[in-house]
Amino acid sequence: MSKVKIAVLISGNGSNLQALIDSIEGGYINGEIIVVISDRRGAYGLERAEKHGIMTVVLDKKEYGSNEDLNKGIQYVLRSMNAELIVLAGFLTILSSNVVKAFEGKIINVHPSLIPAFCGAGLYGQRVHKAAIEYGVKVSGATVHFVDEGTDTGKIILQEAVPVMENDTPETLAARVLEVEHRILPEAVRRITQGS
Ligand code: GRF
């Protein structure tokens, strides 16, 4: 079976990207990361990709006049690389409906909560964990889902819960959730590339 061409979109540290790279190099995923696209120059995830010989493209949102132009750049790169699966791994730009439609059913995202809790516009990164702690939930977790034209509203693929401790801070909860992300994102990609 030919390897699925995977594009990974990042904005920062890239620990989820690293989990994918490790999983692919460990032989668990029938895929190849053909490009890593970052919307921020200097994102550490770019270094992670370069260390593994993966092509990187920076489409710095600060250098693009509009979100629409940035999305046109993203679509151009994805098309020219013939990407077959697009993974949003800590990617903070909202994809336009044109991009989502052009790659319908081929874009997945990892979100650091149990969707439909603590998701949607403005809830990303540490803000998610702060909201969960402030609400007083006893469990949180991570979700991998398909991306549709909404925000964090596409079909759920995998979820896994973690306990929220009395003395948790957004940072300690984030670290616990991130461990889950690093497991369920590669597993979701494995299942998709195996056709299951
Ligand atoms: C993660 O919590 C992810 O869920 C969120 O961005 C955070 C950073 O991810 N979308 P990474 O270390 O850049 O992969």
Side-chain angles (χ1 to χ4, degrees):
M1 200 187 329
S2 62
K3 288 185 182 300
V4 174
K5 293 182 176 61
I6 303 167
V8 182
L9 278 59
I10 63 165
S11 295
N13 180 29
S15 69
N16 279 290
L17 165 65
Q18 189 65 58
L20 276 180
I21 290 171
D22 297 345
S23 221
I24 288 172
E25 292 185 352
Y28 298 106
I29 293 176
N30 175 39
E32 177 195 4
I33 300 174
I34 49 155
V35 65
V36 168
I37 300 172
S38 173
D39 63 359
R40 283 166 173 75
R41 201 168 292 288
Y44 184 62
L46 293 166
E47 281 185 46
R48 294 177 188 270
E50 283 150 14
K51 277 187 192 142
H52 292 267
I54 298 168
M55 179 178 148
T56 60
V57 171
V58 175
L59 300 176
D60 193 323
K61 65 191 308 177
K62 290 198 215 72
E63 294 165 16
Y64 276 80
S66 68
N67 200 46
E68 188 188 343
D69 289 346
L70 173 57
N71 268 275
K72 281 180 184 161
I74 291 169
Q75 185 164 350
Y76 177 79
V77 173
L78 294 175
R79 276 205 183 291
S80 57
M81 300 295 294
N82 296 315
E84 296 167 312
L85 175 62
I86 293 104
V87 181
L88 309 186
F91 189 64
L92 299 178
T93 293
I94 300 294
L95 292 183
S96 68
S97 54
N98 285 346
V99 173
V100 173
K101 280 183 195 145
F103 293 93
E104 186 96 43
K106 295 179 180 177
I107 309 174
I108 66 173
N109 179 52
V110 60
H111 182 77
S113 77
L114 295 175
I115 289 175
F118 309 113
C119 64
L123 280 169
Y124 56 85
Q126 294 285 5
R127 293 177 178 200
V128 172
H129 307 300
K130 186 170 179 293
I133 290 167
E134 284 172 357
Y135 195 98
V137 292
K138 301 308 174 190
V139 287
S140 190
T143 302
V144 179
H145 62 94
F146 283 104
V147 171
D148 63 11
E149 293 180 53
T151 304
D152 302 328
T153 51
K155 183 175 182 292
I156 290 174
I157 303 168
L158 281 176
Q159 291 187 303
E160 187 175 316
V162 299
V164 180
M165 308 301 188
E166 279 306 311
N167 59 351
D168 260 331
T169 63
E171 292 72 22
T172 58
L173 180 54
R176 195 172 308 122
V177 171
L178 208 48
E179 283 175 23
V180 167
E181 294 176 46
H182 294 165
R183 282 202 304 280
I184 65 174
L185 183 61
E187 176 56 20
V189 172
R190 187 192 69 76
R191 292 184 186 188
I192 291 167
T193 57
Q194 307 287 84
S196 60

